[in-house]
């Protein structure tokens, strides 16, 4: 299912250009489409209450004509979902990789070297951990969207996709670095590491040949979970309008677009919500599979059940 979701999102330009023949980012308030052989307006007059205003067309079931209906601006919801998935999944993947690049060296070095470096890194990670992830990411996003930040060659400007990637990655660094630090502290006291140091192995050699391989099973198991958490964080930021900025679309922005249509056209809100939940569940199942593959000695569900019941 995860592969199907990813491939469908990657095929968004093909769907929009060759199937739906629509622009997922342009308003179409005065446009029309074909339903059951009849031409109907995309935004139809309201028939409930006082009959004031308009309501977008609902799901037609036809991929060529607003499969999942339209949003409040007459845009094709199905096309926007696919384009939004490209950004949501891309931001989640980028934040996961950036978090790992920052957290793995920090955790391993702090645990292996110890002393002042361990104290400084640990206190800094504890400080970040003290803030709730969503509060921290929202605060950083608001600050960066209001201005810009420059760290050497890295430039984070308002509206840049690097902003949600950076703030999500920084928010989850302690969740990866601190467990790796504890694992590195345990591995450095093992006999084979002490023997390697006694034989003249350099610190870099020990880190590369002993500590990193020992940490890989845990890292492989945690990365899919981190990707799922990053996906949820990106959806929350974009839903609050401090993540992906217009005219771009992500699952969080599509969810926000459908909030005002929740009772008249619920598909605009339900569809991105289902995709977010489905992808997060798939990533968590992938994490379980990766954990079992990385640790073959761990009993599977069937074996655990037999042991439990004697």
């Amino acid at each position: 299912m995860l592969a199907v979701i990813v491939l469908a999102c990657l095929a968004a330009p093909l769907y929009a250009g060759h199937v739906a023949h629509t622009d997922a980012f342009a308003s179409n308030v005065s446009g029309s489409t074909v339903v059951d052989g009849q031409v109907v307006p995309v935004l139809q007059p309201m028939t409930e209450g006082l009959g004031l205003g308009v309501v977008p067309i609902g799901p037609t079931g036809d991929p060529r004509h607003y499969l999942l209906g339209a949003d409040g601006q007459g845009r094709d919801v199905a096309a926007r979902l696919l384009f939004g998935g490209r950004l949501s999944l891309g931001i989640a993947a980028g934040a996961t990789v950036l978090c790992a690049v920052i957290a793995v060296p920090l955790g391993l070095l702090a645990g292996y070297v110890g002393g002042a470096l361990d104290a400084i890194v640990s206190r800094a990670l504890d400080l970040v951990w003290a803030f709730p992830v969503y509060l921290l990411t929202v605060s950083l996003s608001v600050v960066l969207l209001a201005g810009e930040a420059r760290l050497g060659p890295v430039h984070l400007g308002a509206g840049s996709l690097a902003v949600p990637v950076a703030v999500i990655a920084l928010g989850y660094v302690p969740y990866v670095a601190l467990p790796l630090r504890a694992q590195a502290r345990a591995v450095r006291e093992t006999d084979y590491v002490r023997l390697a140091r006694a034989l003249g192995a350099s610190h870099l050699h020990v880190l590369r040949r002993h500590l990193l391989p020992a940490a890989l099973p845990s890292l492989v198991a945690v990365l899919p979970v981190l990707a799922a958490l990053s996906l949820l964080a990106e959806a929350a930021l974009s839903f609050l309008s401090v993540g992906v900025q217009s005219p771009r679309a992500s699952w969080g922005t599509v969810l926000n677009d459908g909030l005002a249509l929740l009772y008249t056209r619920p598909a605009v809100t339900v569809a991105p919500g289902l995709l977010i939940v489905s992808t997060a569940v798939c990533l968590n199942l992938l994490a379980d599979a990766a954990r079992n593959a990385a640790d073959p000695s761990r009993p599977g569900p069937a074996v655990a059940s037999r042991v439990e019941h004697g």
Side-chain angles (χ1 to χ4, degrees):
M1 183 182 291
L2 182 62
V4 169
I5 293 173
V6 172
L7 291 175
C9 292
L10 291 176
L14 296 176
Y15 175 80
H18 300 283
V19 179
H21 301 287
T22 185
D23 186 346
F25 307 102
S27 297
N28 190 27
V29 294
S30 59
S32 60
T33 186
V34 178
V35 179
D36 296 329
Q38 297 181 350
V39 178
V40 297
V42 174
L43 297 184
Q44 303 172 340
M46 180 76 73
T47 58
E48 299 177 358
L50 298 176
L52 301 177
V54 294
V55 62
I57 190 173
T60 64
D62 187 348
R64 300 169 298 173
H65 305 289
Y66 291 87
L67 174 66
L68 296 177
D71 63 9
Q73 298 186 39
R75 299 172 297 195
D76 190 315
V77 173
R80 285 182 62 77
L81 278 178
L82 296 181
F83 277 105
R86 288 161 63 96
L87 277 190
S88 293
L89 294 172
I91 290 173
T96 301
V97 172
L98 180 60
C99 180
V101 168
I102 297 173
V104 171
L106 277 180
L108 293 181
L109 283 173
Y112 176 68
V113 175
L117 178 63
D118 185 24
I120 294 172
V121 171
S122 298
R123 297 296 78 78
L125 294 175
D126 288 340
L127 181 62
V128 177
W129 201 331
F131 289 91
V133 171
Y134 288 103
L135 177 61
L136 178 63
T137 53
V138 168
S139 302
L140 289 174
S141 294
V142 170
V143 171
L144 291 174
L145 288 175
E148 59 182 24
R150 185 182 296 275
L151 299 174
V154 180
H155 175 253
L156 298 179
S160 171
L161 292 178
V163 171
V165 171
V167 298
I168 293 171
L170 291 176
Y172 284 112
V173 163
Y175 293 81
V176 179
L178 288 175
L180 289 181
R181 167 187 170 270
Q183 190 169 7
R185 286 171 62 90
V187 172
R188 76 177 183 181
E189 302 299 331
T190 57
D191 292 337
Y192 63 85
V193 171
R194 291 180 176 178
L195 179 60
R197 290 292 299 143
L199 293 175
S202 65
H203 294 300
L204 182 61
H205 176 84
V206 173
L207 284 168
R208 182 171 56 86
R209 294 297 301 272
H210 299 293
L211 267 71
L212 185 58
L216 276 179
S218 300
L219 188 61
V220 168
V222 80
L223 284 181
V225 176
L226 182 59
L229 293 173
S230 300
L231 179 69
L232 296 175
E234 185 281 324
L237 290 177
S238 297
F239 179 78
L240 296 173
S241 302
V242 292
V244 175
Q245 299 298 301
S246 182
R248 297 186 178 101
S250 76
W251 285 340
T253 61
V254 178
L255 197 66
N256 189 20
D257 292 340
L259 195 60
L261 303 170
L262 185 59
Y263 298 105
T264 56
R265 292 293 181 260
V268 184
T269 302
V270 172
L274 286 176
L275 282 174
I276 292 170
V277 171
S278 300
T279 307
V281 169
C282 289
L283 287 169
N284 278 277
L285 293 175
L286 180 61
D288 287 340
R291 189 182 300 112
N292 293 332
D295 186 8
S297 62
R298 182 183 178 186
V303 176
S305 177
R306 289 196 296 270
V307 171
E308 219 176 280
H309 294 86

